[in-house]
C-alpha cells in the first residue's frame, strides 16, 4: 500500500515541475521578444542608433 501514495505524490510533483518549466519557457520567450522589440530604442555607446526621449 505504501508505493501507491508515493507514485501519486511523484506524479503530482513531476506534473507540477513540468507545468512550472512550461510557464518559465513562455516567460523567457516573452522577455526575449520584449528585448528584441525594445533593443533598437536603447542608445548605443558608439553614438549610432536611434535615441528616443
Amino acid at each position: 500500500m505504501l508505493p501507491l501514495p508515493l507514485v501519486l505524490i511523484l506524479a503530482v510533483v513531476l506534473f507540477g515541475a513540468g507545468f512550472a518549466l512550461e510557464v518559465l519557457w513562455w516567460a523567457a520567450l516573452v522577455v526575449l521578444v520584449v528585448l528584441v522589440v525594445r533593443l533598437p530604442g536603447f542608445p548605443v555607446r558608439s553614438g549610432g542608433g536611434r535615441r528616443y526621449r
Side-chain angles (χ1 to χ4, degrees), residues 16-37:
F19 181 73
L21 289 175
E22 182 76 18
V23 170
L24 287 176
W25 274 111
W26 281 109
L29 184 65
V30 167
V31 169
L32 181 66
V33 168
V34 168
L35 284 177
V36 167
V37 168

Side-chain angles (χ1 to χ4, degrees), residues 2-49:
L2 185 60
L4 183 61
L6 288 178
V7 170
L8 291 175
I9 290 172
L10 183 64
V12 169
V13 167
L14 289 177
F15 176 76
F19 181 73
L21 289 175
E22 182 76 18
V23 170
L24 287 176
W25 274 111
W26 281 109
L29 184 65
V30 167
V31 169
L32 181 66
V33 168
V34 168
L35 284 177
V36 167
V37 168
R38 297 275 309 198
L39 194 59
F42 291 139
V44 179
R45 289 182 184 231
S46 64

